[in-house]
Amino acid sequence: MKEMIQEIEAKMARKERVEKFSIDLDYLTAGERRHLYELMYAHGPGNGKMMFLPIDQGLEHGPRDFFPNPASADLEFELALAEEANYSGIVCHVGLAEKHFRKYAGRVPLVLKINGKTSIAPDDAPFSPLDASVEDALRLGADAIGYTLYVGSPREADDILQFTKLRQECRRYGIPLILWAYPRGPYVETRGHGRDSLAMVDYAARMANELGATMTKINLPVPPKGGSYDEKGPFKAYNAYQDLSEEEALHMVVQSAGRAGVLISGGSKMGDEDLIRKVRLSLEAGVDGLIFGRNMWQRKYEDALKISHEIREMIQKL
């Protein structure tokens, strides 16, 4: 027992990841391992790391995200890109999967996004209801299910309850569950210093591990500057980390995720140089994969294919 504690302390001193996500974790069922093999080794970079192409933004944002590249509004664009660039999988909602995925089954792994909301209603109490089921995912041949949980929302209790029921069903049927752990709502802004602050993203990563997610999708955390957090508030301890670099902040979050895999969100489209920098920073911090959507399919096809290959080669060199 003493040797185990010493090993943990030594890893932390060397700034290594103490617990690692792996297909060999003993809590995974045979079904989960089979699905994870498709995502981690049979497709994508092939070395255990993953790169996903999400196209769930049409429900969350409406048609506007497709304006920069009108061809991307047709899921055939993303499916062709996912196959040719050999992504670990594509992420979409049930309607798109039912209408387009059949001919790509077995060629492109599917992550079925199972809940969502629009951006029309005010975002003061965000909550995403279910729009599909585990049965839908299995019928469509999905290798994982995606779920958005709004950490810190006034409706957080409803969200946790809905997620818990889903997690139990996923375990029953042996399918991995990826948690989009997104801090949202007025308290996140007033008490947590913003949705992408280190305190909020760190909390979200820990929450994903605590709630039993197989993997979690998070944004890059922003380290605090100059005593950002209220000295009388619950997150004042994070003021001690105001000198962290971006990589150190992300490494801290990865540690908090424990045995849950960590996927970094791409967010809004950025230039090639900034995107490659984000990839490098994420990989050096020890993440398990990348999930870049708009940064890929808002580009013209050949440009998206080129940068996809470049990112895949970066991952394979690990």
Side-chain angles (χ1 to χ4, degrees):
M1 186 67 70
K2 183 178 180 181
E3 289 77 12
M4 181 182 69
I5 301 302
Q6 289 175 336
E7 182 181 355
I8 292 172
E9 291 174 342
K11 285 183 177 180
M12 296 193 76
R14 295 193 299 267
K15 296 184 177 180
E16 295 178 5
R17 188 172 179 179
V18 175
E19 296 183 287
K20 292 185 178 181
F21 174 69
S22 166
I23 198 172
D24 295 320
L25 289 173
D26 54 12
Y27 81 91
L28 294 170
T29 65
E32 289 169 308
R33 284 170 55 89
R34 204 280 298 166
H35 287 298
L36 286 172
Y37 182 83
E38 293 295 318
L39 303 175
M40 299 173 71
Y41 296 100
H43 299 270
N47 60 353
K49 300 291 185 181
M50 292 159 282
M51 52 186 292
F52 292 102
L53 187 67
I55 185 65
D56 58 325
Q57 292 86 349
L59 177 59
E60 297 286 337
H61 304 156
R64 68 181 186 269
D65 280 348
F66 307 111
F67 293 169
N69 179 23
S72 67
D74 189 329
L75 187 66
E76 296 291 329
F77 181 99
E78 286 81 12
L79 285 165
L81 176 62
E83 182 175 29
E84 189 170 0
N86 195 14
Y87 274 81
S88 303
I90 194 164
V91 183
C92 68
H93 285 279
V94 63
L96 293 183
E98 287 184 336
K99 293 177 175 72
H100 293 269
F101 191 71
R102 183 175 179 178
K103 71 179 181 180
Y104 288 89
R107 292 153 53 187
V108 177
L110 170 66
V111 176
L112 187 68
K113 189 71 190 308
I114 208 168
N115 71 330
K117 67 174 187 63
T118 72
S119 57
I120 300 170
D123 211 22
D124 52 353
F127 175 77
S128 290
L130 294 176
D131 58 23
S133 66
V134 174
E135 182 180 342
D136 287 323
L138 295 173
R139 172 175 56 83
L140 290 164
D143 281 306
I145 286 173
Y147 180 95
T148 294
L149 191 151
Y150 292 116
V151 180
S153 167
R155 294 200 63 187
E156 180 183 83
D158 296 328
D159 223 345
I160 292 174
L161 179 60
Q162 183 173 251
F163 175 81
T164 298
K165 292 177 179 179
L166 175 63
R167 176 188 56 78
Q168 291 169 340
E169 195 169 1
C170 286
R171 292 288 290 172
R172 187 178 305 122
Y173 291 105
I175 187 167
L177 179 54
I178 305 173
L179 179 62
W180 272 236
Y182 283 172
R184 292 290 190 275
Y187 306 129
V188 167
E189 302 301 323
T190 59
R191 306 186 78 194
H193 204 64
R195 62 179 63 177
D196 293 335
S197 72
L198 174 59
M200 293 296 93
V201 178
D202 201 30
Y203 207 136
R206 177 73 192 201
M207 193 169 178
N209 195 30
E210 295 274 354
L211 291 178
T214 314
M215 291 182 271
T216 182
K217 176 180 185 275
I218 59 170
N219 291 325
L220 282 179
V222 178
K225 302 295 181 184
S228 299
Y229 300 102
D230 184 353
E231 285 296 339
K232 296 181 180 179
F235 304 109
K236 61 185 179 182
Y238 284 90
N239 284 327
Y241 297 96
Q242 60 186 327
D243 294 325
L244 290 185
S245 66
E246 289 181 296
E247 182 184 335
E248 289 171 331
L250 180 54
H251 177 74
M252 184 175 177
V253 170
V254 170
Q255 293 280 33
S256 294
R259 292 186 177 183
V262 177
L263 305 173
I264 292 298
S265 171
S268 300
K269 186 175 180 292
M270 60 185 73
D272 290 7
E273 186 176 333
D274 288 335
L275 185 62
I276 293 301
R277 176 183 173 276
K278 187 173 190 176
V279 171
R280 185 174 294 109
L281 184 156
S282 299
L283 295 176
E284 289 175 351
V287 306
D288 300 288
L290 309 167
I291 181 163
F292 291 177
R294 286 169 288 175
N295 272 291
M296 299 301 160
W297 47 257
Q298 283 188 343
R299 289 171 162 82
K300 296 298 183 183
Y301 188 86
E302 291 303 322
D303 294 334
L305 185 62
K306 179 177 180 294
I307 199 163
S308 295
H309 283 312
E310 187 174 349
I311 291 171
R312 185 166 175 265
E313 288 172 4
M314 289 176 67
I315 297 174
Q316 288 175 327
K317 289 178 181 177
L318 289 175

